[in-house]
Amino acid sequence: MSSTEPTGAAGTAGSGPAPLPARESRFIDVHYHVGPDAYLRRHTATTAGALYAEHRGWVVLKNHLGSTAAQAWEARQQGLPVSGSIVLNRLAGGFDPRAVEQAVIQHGDDSGLRLIVHLPTVTGRTHRSRLARTPSHPLLGDGQPPLTVADESGALRPEVTELLRAARNLPVVISTGHADGHEVRLLVDEVVRLDVPRLMLNQPANPMTGLSCKDLVEVAAAEQVWTEQTALTRLLGYQDWADFADVLSLLPRVVYSSDLGQPSQMDITDWLTWNQNIYSEAGLTPERVIDITHTGPLKMLSL
């Protein structure tokens, strides 16, 4: 059986056609929000997957409530180009490796791609999003309980180090979540020390992290460290044009994603059109566009 034929998390074959393999897609978006999530979203896993399929893309689903692994597996059984992630907020079990192992199993082994494991995105830090957001459930009216990767002394929590150790033997990419700049540096150092295969700096220009392209030249120097540049960081005005363009054009190991899915933001088709103007204004060569939208993401996610 080829690696592109669905086998399912428990070894049972899916009834639908196999999706277009990620390596044959035109682009890979490693960060797209679908419902059910902490906030209302524009699409479900299957409606989003159908749009990405229409554009010969691949999408990695994200959910601040926890795991999208099972949703992604089910979407692939319908022939849709979808893989998943888990966000380790306190509500989803925090840093417990069992939550990651369960998500890996639910994700299945048919996509040939790693599961993205986001460290907490609800950290309790003071930042008011510019997004118009509606909680998806009454129990979320007061938000989620916060969790950070560093303790009160500024050191990495021991359970984070243990999670990173476990990640060495799992088909995952660790993402920094909404860690602040100090925590990102701690995570990079620990990933290098433990020889964790993949670390993605999750939208480092966002106000909760605050790392510029100049900072990232040093922070993202290690070969296993990838920098995610999201469209939403620019769309919300959190990042100026010069820094946005510099990250896209200058840094090694960049993955360009949307971070979309919000009803108040543009849909997938409009984002793809917007991107063409962005690439032109930033002076990106066709080779660089392919690198940040397909070759790079594929290399980061591949087993």
Side-chain angles (χ1 to χ4, degrees):
M1 179 176 289
S2 74
S3 62
T4 60
E5 293 176 345
T7 59
T12 57
S15 58
L20 181 76
R23 64 179 178 275
E24 296 179 18
S25 64
R26 290 178 54 244
F27 67 96
I28 300 172
D29 183 359
V30 303
H31 188 159
Y32 189 82
H33 293 276
V34 297
D37 198 350
Y39 302 100
L40 297 182
R41 301 304 187 190
R42 182 183 290 274
H43 290 294
T44 65
T46 52
T47 60
L51 278 170
Y52 279 88
E54 179 182 329
H55 294 287
R56 290 182 60 85
W58 187 283
V59 62
V60 182
L61 307 179
K62 186 175 180 182
N63 182 333
H64 292 292
L65 294 175
S67 173
T68 63
Q71 287 172 282
W73 180 87
E74 185 167 1
R76 287 197 307 279
Q77 309 318 302
Q78 300 178 44
L80 299 174
V82 178
S83 56
S85 68
I86 183 172
V87 181
L88 299 179
N89 286 324
R90 193 181 294 276
L91 188 63
F95 305 117
D96 191 338
R98 292 174 297 181
V100 177
E101 291 172 4
Q102 182 191 53
V104 166
I105 294 167
Q106 289 180 324
H107 198 231
D109 60 1
D110 57 293
S111 70
L113 301 179
R114 295 171 181 263
L115 180 85
I116 297 182
V117 177
H118 295 277
L119 295 172
T121 58
V122 179
T123 63
R125 297 190 173 96
T126 55
H127 165 65
R128 187 171 183 82
S129 175
R130 294 176 183 173
L131 284 166
R133 302 189 295 189
T134 303
S136 64
H137 193 280
L139 288 177
L140 296 170
D142 295 325
Q144 296 187 50
L147 183 63
T148 59
V149 299
D151 60 22
E152 293 75 12
S153 71
L156 276 185
R157 299 183 187 277
E159 54 267 40
V160 174
T161 295
E162 290 310 305
L163 180 72
L164 294 178
R165 290 185 192 278
R168 295 181 300 186
N169 299 313
L170 292 170
V172 300
V173 175
I174 298 294
S175 157
T176 54
H178 288 171
D180 65 20
H182 168 70
E183 291 172 327
V184 166
R185 289 177 170 88
L186 292 177
L187 288 166
V188 169
D189 288 346
E190 195 71 343
V191 160
V192 171
R193 185 180 75 85
L194 295 175
D195 197 25
V196 178
R198 305 281 196 282
L199 177 71
M200 184 181 79
L201 308 186
N202 177 213
Q203 49 179 314
N206 83 81
M208 288 174 283
T209 304
L211 296 176
S212 67
C213 184
K214 183 178 179 180
D215 298 322
L216 294 169
V217 169
E218 174 190 355
V219 176
E223 289 296 322
Q224 66 260 60
V225 178
W226 298 76
T227 298
E228 179 199 19
Q229 174 61 65
T230 72
L232 188 64
T233 315
R234 173 62 187 159
L235 289 168
L236 294 179
Y238 294 150
Q239 183 179 23
D240 65 39
W241 168 253
D243 194 71
F244 179 74
D246 283 350
V247 171
L248 290 181
S249 59
L250 300 177
L251 286 179
R253 297 179 302 283
V254 170
V255 293
Y256 177 54
S257 70
S258 70
D259 191 11
L260 294 176
Q262 308 83 3
S264 62
Q265 296 297 312
M266 67 178 76
D267 207 347
I268 297 159
T269 301
D270 293 330
W271 172 62
L272 293 172
T273 301
W274 183 80
N275 285 344
Q276 298 308 310
N277 295 326
I278 290 299
Y279 303 151
S280 177
E281 291 178 28
L284 303 187
T285 65
E287 294 78 14
R288 179 64 176 180
V289 171
I290 292 171
D291 184 51
I292 66 175
T293 63
H294 186 265
T295 309
L298 183 62
K299 186 175 181 180
M300 182 184 77
L301 291 171
S302 292
L303 298 172

